[in-house]
């Protein structure tokens, strides 16, 4: 069994100065990507639930994390412009890793990106900075992946909506102080809006735009 | 490994065996070779390559053999194979001006630089069955007079017109603009001309022929002249980033048709002729011409015309030109539909019962009225 | 017809095709569309549908979705008209057995992925299962407005007046809504969606279903989805509420009630019987000892042993 040649990635690699040795991609590109995708699919289909991701022994350059790298390898390619926040953008090794393994063009304007990787989610730029999709093509919006997420036990918000039987409690950190207002505003403009994936150490969770954030009594 | 197996499987297997047997026919007759098909059924091969969207004569010949000569089925085999091939990128635009021309005719000029080259054509042949072909094993090779190799340039008719300003200029495109490709992005409307032309180039010959014909009969008339039809070999080049220059991948045979159509002009722009463009693999003139006519019809909006006819309707034309899609959906009616049919049966029975009930009531009512009178 | 179940083994052994046939780039493209579809329940996501080795209209959308989600550990069930044994179900199941070498099953409960055409199994699905629908025409408004440019606007503006007018005209003309399959639904109070040509009998099953539903339309190049537990409302009017088909008899073979039945013509003298459309459900009930009123009938024996689709192929010889 062979996989399709990733010609773009090969071309990209030629342009990249070969400084540090490049970290390897998936050991089993077909099945590792499939497993990671199923975790992402289950996460979006069941907002707020934690889905285990085996990062397949990935050792990407910091601040890119293994789980985020697995998502990138699973979802990105030369058809998906990707935006990186400052800490990620500052790392040539991260950019080289992503270019080589995905071929995705790295863009500097958040609004041009199909995917965004956020290495320092505590200081993430507003969700409104990303492509929200249009009323006619709401699918053309961005998916934002937050790195280094911790799914602590402290309840932060209550979720309702498609994929949730009644309601569900959900908690992540770090996120910016006004994050939940932004997420609530994001879901109010449904069907437009961005989708969020939270990448932890060995788990992911997601909040698609369809999820409503309910006020929580403290 | 545990696998679900039930009865239908056996029937399918048998059907396939039977198809293979029918394909081969009488085994006392020699089997067709791919070379025979590629050499002697070259128009079929060209059509299958064009509609199958893959230039490979041997594979097209194989597809035709496998499909028992069903050309749409053969094009489908090519498409299904094509979709599994890795994609390296897009070639540079083919230069048909540099074509090694085998045939070139213009209906708009009696003579022109480079001359008229009749080449291989059914035109002007009398369509009489040639019984000699039936009798001969091997068609007699008549000596063919070869024209002196045409080293003189053969400029395109539209360029000649363009030099005089009589032809609308070719649209200027940004070299770095992304290439529209409907095999990579689903078609969305309104579709630009690059995608429309790609769609037509892959489209069904019969469908395009009928649409082109309809424009000639008044359903969106465009007053076309066959400015030029040329057939021959062109080189396909690929710009290799790592080398920094274009390399030749090989040569393909194509038919190009440029239709010259009635004028457009406005207060801002002087009147000029307008273009319709057709380009197909191999020698398929009927389709190249039809494509050019339909292309021109679909340009109604940019040329300030009214939309009145099917051939102008971009969404209608592009959504129905693909015979692989069309044949699949038409033929899918052969699949079982008894679940839906059951739902309809139930409803029709109920509606009939209600209808008869109403009529009975009505008749009783009428009888009562009559009796009262 | 090109046969998919009959791709010679040698082709796969040569390693010409990837796991589950599609190349990884195509899978990524489809996977991204699936994620968007789930995030926007009921919205039809355009995707660059590939030419598959089976004809458009024969399940290419469902096959592409299944191929994109399928993993080595999955167990696949393939049904058409409710049955595992219909010819196209057999063909598509064979395709995945060959290209992905996954386990396949006829038992609803055992499957992790169920690809279906025109039916939803009678047995309730669980949260661990995924239901993949083959969709011919994904646009519920298509027969009211053939233009994509127009229907896309209607969805954007949530302007579904045309659909209500159509249903109301049905009532005015026929006394009730004359749509029996592909009955339109509204998903999550937003998008009107075509649940594919399943009989409306199955519509209540897709409301708040525990399993994830994925819909693939290959020829029309659209993917859409309904996440688990999503509200799905069949369109209706207050004075003409939505109702499903009712059968006045139980299944002739297993005696099941409140299931969808197929009518089987037994002879040319009006003899007929009604049997479960969901063949696995029916078999399981019979194995558990349930017997229908016609179970002892000789005709029933023929149906239950060969399956209704016990198609035969014979060479006609003069």
């Amino acid at each position: 069994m062979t996989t399709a040649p990733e010609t773009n990635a090969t071309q990209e690699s030629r342009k990249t100065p070969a400084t540090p040795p490049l970290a390897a991609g998936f050991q089993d590109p077909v099945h590792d990507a499939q497993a990671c995708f199923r975790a992402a699919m289950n996460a979006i289909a069941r907002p707020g639930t934690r889905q285990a991701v085996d990062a397949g022994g990935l050792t990407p350059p910091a601040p890119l994390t293994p789980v985020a790298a697995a998502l990138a390898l699973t979802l990105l390619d030369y058809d998906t412009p990707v935006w990186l926040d400052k800490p990620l953008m500052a790392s040539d090794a991260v950019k080289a890793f992503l270019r080589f393994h995905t071929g995705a063009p790295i863009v500097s304007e958040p609004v041009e990106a199909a995917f965004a990787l956020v290495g320092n989610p505590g200081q993430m730029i507003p969700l409104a900075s990303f492509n929200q999709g249009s009323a006619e093509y709401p699918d053309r919006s961005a998916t934002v992946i937050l790195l280094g997420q911790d799914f602590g036990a402290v309840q932060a918000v209550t979720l309702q909506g498609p994929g949730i039987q009644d309601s569900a409690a959900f908690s992540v950190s770090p996120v910016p102080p006004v994050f939940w207002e932004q997420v609530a505003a994001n879901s109010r403009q449904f069907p437009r809006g961005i989708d969020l994936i939270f990448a932890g150490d060995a788990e992911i969770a997601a909040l698609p735009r369809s999820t409503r954030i309910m006020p929580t009594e403290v | 490994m545990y696998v679900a197996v039930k009865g239908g499987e056996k029937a399918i297997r048998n059907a396939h065996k039977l198809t293979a047997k029918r394909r081969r026919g009488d085994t006392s007759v020699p089997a067709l070779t791919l070379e025979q098909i590629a050499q002697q059924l070259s128009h079929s091969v060209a059509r299958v390559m064009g509609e199958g969207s893959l230039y490979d004569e041997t594979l097209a010949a194989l597809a035709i053999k496998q499909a028992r000569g069903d050309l749409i089925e053969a094009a489908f085999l090519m498409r299904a194979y094509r979709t599994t091939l890795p994609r390296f990128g897009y070639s540079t635009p083919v230069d048909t001006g540099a074509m090694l021309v085998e045939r070139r005719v213009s209906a708009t000029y009696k003579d022109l630089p480079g001359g008229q080259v009749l080449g291989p054509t059914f035109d002007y042949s009398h369509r009489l069955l040639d019984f000699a072909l039936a009798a001969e094993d091997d068609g007699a090779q008549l000596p063919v007079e070869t024209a002196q190799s045409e080293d003189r340039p053969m400029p395109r008719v539209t360029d000649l017109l363009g030099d005089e300003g009589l032809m609308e200029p070719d649209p200027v495109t940004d070299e770095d603009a992304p290439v529209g490709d409907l095999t990579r992005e689903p078609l969305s409307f309104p579709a630009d001309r690059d995608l429309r032309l790609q769609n037509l180039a892959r489209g069904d010959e019969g469908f395009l022929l009928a649409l082109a014909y309809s424009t000639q009969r008044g359903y969106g008339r465009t007053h076309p002249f066959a400015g030029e039809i040329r057939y021959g070999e062109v080189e396909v080049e690929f710009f290799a980033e790592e080398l920094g220059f274009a390399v030749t991948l090989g040569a393909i045979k194509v038919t190009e048709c440029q239709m010259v159509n009635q004028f457009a002009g406005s207060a801002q722009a002087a009147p000029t002729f307008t273009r319709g463009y057709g380009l197909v693999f191999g020698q398929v003139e009927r389709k190249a011409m039809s494509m050019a006519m339909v292309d021109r019809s679909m340009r109604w909006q940019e040329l300030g015309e009214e939309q009145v006819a099917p051939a102008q309707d971009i969404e209608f034309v592009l959504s129905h030109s693909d015979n692989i899609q069309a044949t699949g959906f038409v033929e899918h009616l052969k699949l079982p539909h008894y679940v839906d049919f059951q739902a309809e049966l139930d409803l029709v029975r109920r509606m009939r019962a209600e209808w008869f009930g109403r009529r009975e009531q009505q008749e009783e009512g009428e009888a009562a009225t009559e009796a009262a009178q | 017809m090109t046969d998919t179940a009959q791709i010679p083994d040698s082709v796969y052994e040569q390693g010409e095709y990837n796991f589950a046939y599609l190349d990884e780039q195509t899978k990524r493209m489809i996977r991204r569309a699936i994620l968007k579809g789930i995030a926007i329940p009921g919205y039809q996501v355009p995707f660059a549908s590939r030419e598959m080795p089976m004809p458009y209209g024969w399940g290419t959308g469902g096959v592409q979705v299944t191929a994109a989600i399928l993993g080595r550990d999955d167990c696949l069930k393939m049904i058409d008209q409710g049955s595992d044994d219909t010819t196209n179900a057999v063909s598509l199941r064979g395709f995945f057995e060959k290209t992905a070498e996954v386990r396949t099953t006829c038992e609803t409960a055992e499957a992790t992925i169920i690809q279906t055409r025109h039916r939803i199994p009678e047995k309730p699905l669980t949260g661990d299962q995924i239901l993949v629908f083959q969709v011919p025409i994904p646009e519920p408004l298509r027969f009211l407005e053939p233009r994509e440019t127009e229907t896309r606007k209607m969805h954007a503006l949530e302007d579904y007046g045309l659909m209500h007018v159509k249903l109301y005209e049905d009532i005015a003309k026929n006394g009730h809504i004359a749509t029996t399959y592909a009955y339109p639904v509204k998903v999550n109070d937003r998008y009107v969606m075509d649940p594919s040509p399943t009989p409306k009998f199955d519509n209540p099953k897709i409301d708040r279903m525990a399993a994830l539903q994925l819909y693939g339309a290959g020829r029309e190049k659209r993917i859409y989805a309904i996440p688990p537990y999503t509200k799905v409302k069949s369109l209706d009017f207050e004075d003409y509420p939505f109702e499903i088909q009712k059968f006045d008899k139980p299944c002739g073979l297993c005696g099941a009630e409140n299931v969808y039945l197929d009518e089987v013509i037994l002879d040319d003298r009006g003899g007929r019987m009604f049997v479960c459309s969901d063949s696995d459900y029916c078999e399981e009930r019979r194995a558990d000892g349930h017997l229908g009123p016609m179970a002892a009938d000789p005709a029933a024996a023929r149906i239950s042993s060969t399956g209704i689709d016990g198609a035969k192929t014979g060479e006609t010889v003069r």
Side-chain angles (χ1 to χ4, degrees), chain A residues 139, chain B residues 182-187, chain C residues 22 26 29-34 44-50 60-62 64-65 215-224:
Chain A
D139 56 300
Chain B
L182 54 80
T183 69
R184 308 277 298 159
E185 288 275 335
L187 202 56
Chain C
L22 296 176
T26 299
M29 177 271 295
I30 296 171
R31 286 169 180 169
R32 290 192 295 258
I34 290 172
Q44 303 160 51
V45 183
F47 82 112
S49 174
R50 299 289 192 248
T60 55
Q64 287 180 81
V65 168
Y215 294 76
R219 192 179 39 76
E220 299 279 341
K221 302 177 171 48
R222 297 289 185 272
I223 283 171
Y224 51 104

Side-chain angles (χ1 to χ4, degrees), chain B residues 224-268:
Chain B
F225 292 97
E228 177 174 345
I229 296 157
R230 58 169 66 197
Y231 161 68
E233 207 168 85
V234 291
E235 288 194 337
V236 179
E237 294 190 331
F238 181 76
F239 189 84
E241 293 280 352
E242 48 269 58
L243 297 177
F245 55 85
V247 290
T248 302
L249 299 179
I252 61 172
K253 289 190 166 180
V254 296
T255 308
E256 182 187 55
C257 172
Q258 299 238 39
M259 286 286 174
V260 177
N261 301 269
Q262 214 171 41
F263 337 104
S266 64
Q268 285 78 41

Side-chain angles (χ1 to χ4, degrees), chain B residues 3-4 6 8 11 16 22 73 79 83 183-184 313 315 325 328 336-340 342 344 349 354, chain C residues 2-3 6 48 50-51 56 81 85 97 104 117-118 147-149 180 197 221 260 263 283 311 313 315:
Chain B
V3 161
K6 296 185 112 200
H16 294 142
R22 290 284 185 272
E73 180 71 21
R79 288 263 193 104
T83 197
T183 69
R184 308 277 298 159
D313 186 330
E315 203 176 323
Q325 289 173 14
H337 281 81
Y338 53 76
V339 164
D340 305 331
Q342 185 65 50
E344 296 286 76
R349 281 183 182 139
E354 286 164 7
Chain C
T2 314
D3 166 39
Q6 282 307 99
R50 299 289 192 248
E51 268 104 1
Y56 283 119
Q81 313 289 303
D85 201 28
E97 283 168 357
T104 59
R117 178 171 169 267
H118 296 195
R147 256 159 235 285
E148 168 70 13
T149 35
T180 57
K221 302 177 171 48
Y260 196 79
E263 180 172 338
E283 276 166 34
T313 316
E315 195 165 0

Side-chain angles (χ1 to χ4, degrees), chain B residues 1-16 18 21-22 66 73 76-77 79-84 182-187 189-190 202 307 313 315-316 322 324-329 331-332 334-340 342-347 349-351 354 358, chain C residues 1-3 6 17 21 25 46-48 50-58 81 83-88 90-91 93 97 101-106 110 117-119 136-137 146-149 174 176 178 180-181 197 199 219 221 245 260-263 272 274 277 283 309 311 313-315:
Chain B
M1 191 175 57
Y2 161 62
V3 161
V5 183
K6 296 185 112 200
E9 204 140 354
K10 201 174 149 200
I12 294 185
R13 250 181 241 293
N14 270 328
H16 294 142
L18 197 49
K21 193 172 165 185
R22 290 284 185 272
Q66 186 178 333
E73 180 71 21
F76 178 19
L77 288 168
R79 288 263 193 104
Y81 178 73
R82 175 193 191 277
T83 197
T84 65
L182 54 80
T183 69
R184 308 277 298 159
E185 288 275 335
L187 202 56
F189 299 104
R202 291 157 56 93
Q307 191 200 320
D313 186 330
E315 203 176 323
F316 174 78
D322 192 301
I324 312 298
Q325 289 173 14
T327 199
F329 202 47
E331 294 196 51
H332 108 285
K334 290 183 280 191
L335 290 179
H337 281 81
Y338 53 76
V339 164
D340 305 331
Q342 185 65 50
E344 296 286 76
L345 257 183
D346 175 63
L347 181 67
R349 281 183 182 139
R350 203 140 59 92
M351 280 165 49
E354 286 164 7
R358 278 197 303 275
Chain C
M1 216 43 49
T2 314
D3 166 39
Q6 282 307 99
Y17 295 104
Y21 186 78
Q25 151 65 20
F47 82 112
R50 299 289 192 248
E51 268 104 1
M52 298 299 287
M54 63 282 297
Y56 283 119
W58 296 54
Q81 313 289 303
S83 163
D84 303 88
D85 201 28
T86 32
T87 42
N88 207 42
V90 170
S91 165
R93 187 168 58 232
E97 283 168 357
E101 298 179 341
V102 289
R103 235 157 35 97
T104 59
T105 183
C106 297
E110 197 191 1
R117 178 171 169 267
H118 296 195
R119 268 320 305 278
I137 304 271
R147 256 159 235 285
E148 168 70 13
T149 35
N174 305 311
H176 33 75
T180 57
Y181 60 91
R219 192 179 39 76
K221 302 177 171 48
Q245 289 100 337
Y260 196 79
L261 301 177
D262 292 327
E263 180 172 338
R272 59 197 65 212
F274 287 82
S277 144
E283 276 166 34
D309 303 283
T313 316
E315 195 165 0

